[in-house]
Amino acid sequence: MEDEGFWDFDSESLSFEKDRHILYLEMMYQLLPAPYQGQEINRLTLAYFVISGLDIFAALDRIDKEAVINWVLSLQAHPKNDRTFENDQFYGFHGSRSSQFQSNNNGAAQLNGSHLASTYCALAILKTVGYDLSQIDSEVLLKSMKTLQQPNGCFMPIHTGGETDLRFVFCAAAICSMLKNWTGMDCEKAKEFIRNCQSYDGGFGLIPGAESHGGATYCAVASLKLMGFLEEDLLSEKASSNVSNVPLLLDWSLQKQAFEDGGFRGRANKPTDTCYAFWVGGTLRILQADKFMNEEALRGFLLTCQSKYGGFSKFPRLLPDIYHSYYGFCAFSMLREPGFNPLCVELGISAIAAIGL
């Protein structure tokens, strides 16, 4: 949707509108607009964007934390009987009520719709609002999650019929990291899968042989960081990596910043997009190479995607959405905008939430 009068494209005259962004997130917390009806099954993910976004702004006082905790916990799947696993099902979190089926009148279990991505978002929300994750039955969750790992090291997000790619390796690694328990995955197998996803140009595709992509590259690098496979100083002349070609990865990542407007693109010859300021910019931050990107130019591009009513859009001249707003906020946190909580880039939540303060 375009509105010529909605934007001011002179980024030098724009400033970051923190208060308006907080109001935007508050509105999304209270009531999602009608266009999000088609995303009902991903309600937990949308909640993660809103709640973690408020945390980045140090504005969690705007929500009812206890109500959030109770709602998220109500979405967890449980075995019918204690420690009983049926058909290698995954006992994580459902994305919403629409995928949460109860037993029928005969007591037979219905489809278990819990999903790795929803589980990542659930745990991220719970950590963000200060819930003690040791209270979750992590043994059941992790034991069932391990059945989702494929022979090649990748993960399927649900217990049957799902895709397998780097997104779900990241989800599994983040889940294990947040629960401080790595029994839910074979990290060596996952590392090998990630290595096989690095393309000839240095970036990572979602699967081996696929085109390099900003989101897939973040998932690869963040997973390696979480699993402890990245050295602390990868840019040192003495550093060496047996998990990826770091110089080629840096070259690919830095080439994704456009000279024309300062934004990042996710693939070669594609337009710049707000979210890649996080996916690619975050990759550079994890590699401690963000000092090589043009931060001033990136900030200018992001401000052209800022709505004067709060939130960020994918491109200039579009209306804001929750997804691009959240990753725009993350980008400004990485750019050290005043008044922001710092970001734990590899987990996609604030550093305060990651530490558990």
Side-chain angles (χ1 to χ4, degrees):
M1 298 173 61
E2 250 184 58
D3 187 337
E4 292 292 343
F6 203 73
W7 307 99
D8 178 358
F9 296 108
D10 179 9
S11 63
E12 293 184 359
S13 69
L14 291 174
S15 60
F16 187 82
E17 300 288 349
K18 178 180 177 181
D19 291 340
R20 291 180 182 178
H21 293 309
I22 293 175
L23 287 174
Y24 171 82
L25 289 171
E26 280 191 276
M27 180 180 70
M28 296 298 152
Y29 172 73
Q30 296 294 339
L31 182 66
L32 288 174
Y36 289 96
Q37 287 179 342
Q39 291 293 316
E40 165 58 27
I41 199 167
N42 298 316
R43 182 176 286 267
L44 193 55
T45 300
L46 298 176
Y48 154 71
F49 293 144
V50 172
I51 294 166
S52 187
L54 286 168
D55 185 37
I56 291 171
F57 284 117
L60 282 180
D61 59 324
R62 312 298 180 98
I63 67 172
D64 183 338
K65 294 181 183 179
E66 196 63 33
V68 168
I69 290 170
N70 291 334
W71 175 69
V72 172
L73 291 177
S74 74
L75 293 171
Q76 186 175 9
H78 299 280
K80 284 202 312 182
N81 303 305
D82 291 345
R83 304 296 183 269
T84 298
F85 296 92
E86 300 174 350
N87 301 321
D88 293 327
Q89 290 195 37
F90 173 48
Y91 294 100
F93 286 78
H94 297 272
S96 74
R97 292 279 180 262
S98 62
S99 64
Q100 190 176 36
F101 299 95
Q102 304 299 321
S103 297
N104 62 24
N105 294 333
N106 297 323
Q110 300 297 301
L111 176 66
N112 175 3
S114 60
H115 193 283
L116 268 183
S118 300
T119 303
Y120 158 70
C121 291
L123 297 182
I125 291 172
L126 291 172
K127 278 190 72 70
T128 296
V129 298
Y131 182 77
D132 181 2
L133 293 185
S134 68
Q135 298 183 56
I136 288 178
D137 189 348
S138 58
E139 181 183 348
V140 168
L141 193 159
L142 293 170
K143 184 177 179 181
S144 63
M145 187 178 82
K146 196 164 187 178
T147 67
L148 301 179
Q149 190 166 21
Q150 306 301 297
N152 66 353
C154 192
F155 274 82
M156 187 161 58
I158 54 179
H159 72 278
T160 182
E163 302 170 279
T164 57
D165 60 55
L166 275 175
R167 294 172 297 173
F168 309 119
V169 174
F170 166 74
C171 289
I175 288 166
C176 289
S177 177
M178 287 188 281
L179 292 175
K180 300 178 181 179
N181 186 334
W182 290 90
T183 61
M185 64 185 298
D186 184 326
C187 292
E188 287 295 331
K189 280 188 174 181
K191 178 181 74 172
E192 191 60 28
F193 178 79
I194 293 171
R195 287 183 60 185
N196 291 334
C197 289
Q198 188 168 27
S199 182
Y200 70 93
D201 57 6
F204 288 81
L206 284 171
I207 58 175
E211 178 185 11
S212 296
H213 186 278
T217 300
Y218 165 84
C219 288
V221 174
S223 298
L224 292 171
K225 175 71 173 178
L226 292 169
M227 292 188 291
F229 291 127
L230 290 184
E231 297 182 39
E232 285 301 315
D233 189 4
L234 281 171
L235 302 185
S236 168
E237 291 182 359
K238 298 180 181 179
S240 61
S241 175
N242 63 351
V243 293
S244 66
N245 185 327
V246 175
L248 203 57
L249 170 60
L250 287 175
D251 187 54
W252 182 88
S253 300
L254 290 168
Q255 285 185 28
K256 297 290 102 42
Q257 185 167 23
F259 174 80
E260 300 84 2
D261 59 17
F264 277 95
R265 53 175 57 96
R267 291 180 287 162
N269 301 314
K270 294 292 183 179
T272 50
D273 177 334
T274 294
C275 69
Y276 293 110
F278 173 77
W279 298 127
V280 183
T283 296
L284 290 168
R285 170 64 67 87
I286 294 170
L287 297 173
Q288 301 177 357
D290 50 317
K291 60 187 176 183
F292 298 120
M293 68 185 189
N294 188 330
E295 293 186 351
E296 182 179 355
L298 176 59
R299 189 177 190 277
F301 167 76
L302 290 171
L303 287 176
T304 67
C305 298
Q306 176 182 239
S307 166
K308 65 182 179 181
Y309 299 112
F312 283 85
S313 58
K314 179 183 178 76
F315 306 130
R317 300 192 181 191
L318 297 181
L319 295 177
D321 63 83
I322 298 176
Y323 170 84
H324 288 92
S325 294
Y326 180 66
Y327 289 117
F329 303 149
C330 288
F332 272 95
S333 175
M334 291 192 296
L335 290 171
R336 296 171 291 278
E337 184 75 17
F340 274 72
N341 279 330
L343 194 68
C344 176
V345 178
E346 59 268 29
L347 276 179
I349 57 178
S350 76
I352 293 173
I355 295 170
L357 297 179

